[in-house]
Amino acid sequence: MNYWLVKSEPEKYAWSDLQRDKQTTWDGVRNFQARNNLQQMRQNDLVLYYHSVSEKSIVGVAKVSQEAFQDPTTPETQWVAVTLVPETAFAKPVTLDQIKKEERLQNIALLRQSRLSVMPLTPEEFDLLLAMGQ
């Protein structure tokens, strides 16, 4: 199993929207590194859901239910999407400030490549963030 973090502006598509919709197509990614990460996602991989810009916090855990397929928002075949389903909401959001203060998270892609919208996590990073959100 692999672990990931995806970022979305809550004003555009919030965790509550995913919970309401019960699944979403994670599309519209136009960065090659993020696209490569989408291509590596496998069914049942776990994904931390991060509210970017206004909230800057991890708010829940989703799961990959469908692996990479042609992004329906473009005819360009180089872009892909995946389907995500909600798993569990965090009891308390894990803020970017908390992540920055945690020594064990200093190498996390969220801090090193802040503009990347889809990024891998190590099992240790995922477990630590999950624990911080309980």
Side-chain angles (χ1 to χ4, degrees), residues 60-90:
V61 180
K63 183 166 55 174
V64 177
S65 65
Q66 184 178 0
E67 297 178 13
F69 54 92
Q70 168 64 43
D71 185 327
T73 66
T74 181
E76 297 177 36
T77 58
Q78 65 188 357
W79 303 113
V80 300
V82 298
T83 303
L84 299 179
V85 296
E87 282 290 297
T88 55
F90 272 24

Side-chain angles (χ1 to χ4, degrees), residues 22-41:
K22 306 221 184 323
Q23 72 173 22
T24 193
T25 300
W26 205 261
D27 56 20
V29 173
R30 298 296 182 268
N31 170 286
F32 287 104
Q33 187 175 3
R35 186 255 347 244
N36 293 345
N37 290 335
L38 285 175
Q39 289 174 324
Q40 292 177 33
M41 288 182 168

